[in-house]
Amino acid sequence: MYVLDYAWALILLPLPFLVWWMLPPYREQSAAVRVPFFKDITAAANLGPTEGSVVPRTNLGQKVIAPICWTLIVLALARPQYVEPPIEKTEPQRDLMLAIDLSQSMDTRDFRDPAGNLQTRAEAVHKVVAEFIDRRPNDRLGLIAFGDAPYPLVPFTLDHKTVKLMLADSLPGMAGPRTAVGDAIGLAIKMFDVSTAPDKVMILLTDGNDTASKMPPDKAADIAAEKKVVIHTVGIGDPNAQGEQKLDTAALQQIAEATKGRYFFGQDQAGLQNIYELLDQLTPANQKTLSWRPRIELFYYPLGAALLIVLAYHAAMWLLSSLADRRQRREAAP
């Protein structure tokens, strides 16, 4: 689509005509020879003295070229542009961090799939979380694995294929045998610090209690709440176990409440699937569509055309003048 960015400049088109019509002719005084008997001469010739004037004459080419060039210059001032079709970009408004417990206890085979077969906790988590990732195409996702310490596997990205690949390659025990829930939250907070998304959500999944963190989980949750990071916690361990294997449901509930999140408990793959479906509903798609229409400047076309017309006219006048001079010299030659 062609547009004029400064269409109001077209009101300048009749300006030369208005100047010619409203302003008086230009007058200039020049020196002259004084004749003492000038009055006698004019009286003898029966003439009255008048003001002398020289009126420049324009040729046909000037009368045609001048309005054309003025129209082209005004058109260039109006800034013609070609507006291309809109380019749309979808910008995520939420960054979602997935923190997965990969302590050695995640290798425990006590989870049942929908068919009733036993599988390890890690296998069930991988399947359910991968399906959850497929339902979040418009969110930037990050992935943290934690055991003795937290490790950032994937920074926030829209490349969900990479997130799923890193999740599938993660193995129980690769981050150490113990569980560092508080440090995992602390690492997520640092990764959220570079995020510009207005909505920041973390989903923390663990099957044990905190036994390796340098930062207590409740302190980490308070910092997350100050930075407006919502943490949903998911427990999949055994609350009746002893020692490190026991799921600390109270701590997970406290973390969720402090950050305005929700706590969930999953006993099998079907229950875990329902939890992530509910999380998908709690954090619906949030995105903003940006539209931009590129503009291509075209003012140099009429401006260049006006310049070429003027140059062509002067070149033609110079050529005609040269031919006339040669003809005169030829006729004056003996």
Side-chain angles (χ1 to χ4, degrees):
M1 180 175 65
Y2 294 94
V3 299
L4 295 177
D5 199 28
Y6 303 141
W8 55 265
L10 296 179
I11 63 176
L12 299 175
L13 283 174
L15 183 61
F17 174 76
L18 294 176
V19 171
W20 172 82
W21 180 48
M22 299 181 66
L23 295 182
Y26 173 72
R27 297 178 181 274
E28 180 181 356
Q29 293 183 352
S30 59
V33 178
R34 290 182 175 273
V35 180
F37 46 86
F38 179 73
K39 290 184 179 180
D40 297 335
I41 296 175
T42 56
N46 198 24
L47 296 173
T50 60
E51 293 183 359
S53 63
V54 176
V55 180
R57 301 293 180 181
T58 57
N59 57 37
L60 180 61
Q62 291 174 327
K63 291 180 180 179
V64 174
I65 289 174
I68 293 177
C69 290
W70 176 251
T71 301
L72 291 173
I73 291 173
V74 171
L75 183 61
L77 288 175
R79 197 176 176 184
Q81 298 174 335
Y82 176 70
V83 182
E84 295 185 351
I87 298 175
E88 292 187 351
K89 176 186 176 183
T90 299
E91 185 176 88
Q93 296 296 288
R94 176 186 294 114
D95 281 348
L96 186 60
M97 176 59 70
L98 304 174
I100 307 298
D101 186 350
L102 287 181
S103 59
Q104 192 62 52
S105 58
M106 288 293 288
D107 201 27
T108 304
R109 189 176 293 273
D110 62 353
F111 251 55
R112 293 189 179 275
D113 60 17
N117 300 318
L118 286 176
Q119 59 182 342
T120 65
R121 297 172 181 175
E123 291 173 347
V125 168
H126 287 174
K127 184 176 187 335
V128 172
V129 174
E131 293 176 355
F132 177 78
I133 291 173
D134 289 335
R135 295 195 296 267
R136 315 298 303 183
N138 299 317
D139 285 340
R140 290 203 314 164
L141 300 180
L143 181 63
I144 290 176
F146 63 94
D148 288 346
Y151 299 94
L153 299 184
V154 184
F156 290 115
T157 179
L158 286 171
D159 185 4
H160 294 176
K161 184 177 180 180
T162 298
V163 179
K164 291 177 63 177
L165 182 63
M166 294 298 294
L167 176 67
D169 289 343
S170 60
L171 300 173
M174 65 180 293
R178 297 183 297 170
T179 306
V181 174
D183 290 351
I185 297 175
L187 175 59
I189 292 172
K190 290 183 179 179
M191 296 177 70
F192 276 121
D193 282 342
V194 299
S195 169
T196 59
D199 197 1
K200 303 175 183 180
V201 179
M202 176 181 181
I203 299 177
L204 173 69
L205 183 145
T206 181
D207 70 340
N209 59 73
D210 191 288
T211 56
S213 288
K214 297 178 181 179
M215 177 182 290
D218 56 346
K219 179 63 176 178
D222 291 339
I223 297 175
E226 292 176 2
K227 294 183 176 293
K228 301 186 183 306
V229 177
V230 177
I231 302 178
H232 299 296
T233 56
V234 180
I236 61 171
D238 184 1
N240 300 318
Q242 299 296 323
E244 186 176 339
Q245 303 296 326
K246 180 179 180 179
L247 178 65
D248 191 351
T249 57
L252 295 179
Q253 289 175 348
Q254 183 180 359
I255 292 171
E257 292 175 0
T259 59
K260 299 181 180 179
R262 295 273 300 272
Y263 165 72
F264 303 93
F265 176 68
Q267 294 179 313
D268 52 27
Q269 184 176 325
L272 191 60
Q273 181 74 39
N274 293 334
I275 290 171
Y276 274 87
E277 288 178 357
L278 181 57
L279 287 171
D280 188 43
Q281 297 172 9
L282 290 175
T283 55
N286 187 6
Q287 60 184 6
K288 180 172 65 175
T289 301
L290 303 177
S291 180
W292 176 62
R293 302 191 70 173
R295 291 173 174 256
I296 301 176
E297 297 288 349
L298 303 175
F299 69 90
Y300 43 82
Y301 286 110
L303 192 61
L307 179 61
L308 290 177
I309 290 174
V310 171
L311 292 177
Y313 169 77
H314 283 285
M317 291 297 101
W318 175 82
L319 182 59
L320 292 175
S321 177
S322 299
L323 294 175
D325 289 343
R326 290 181 182 179
R327 188 181 301 109
Q328 290 178 358
R329 287 196 297 269
R330 195 180 303 114
E331 293 174 353

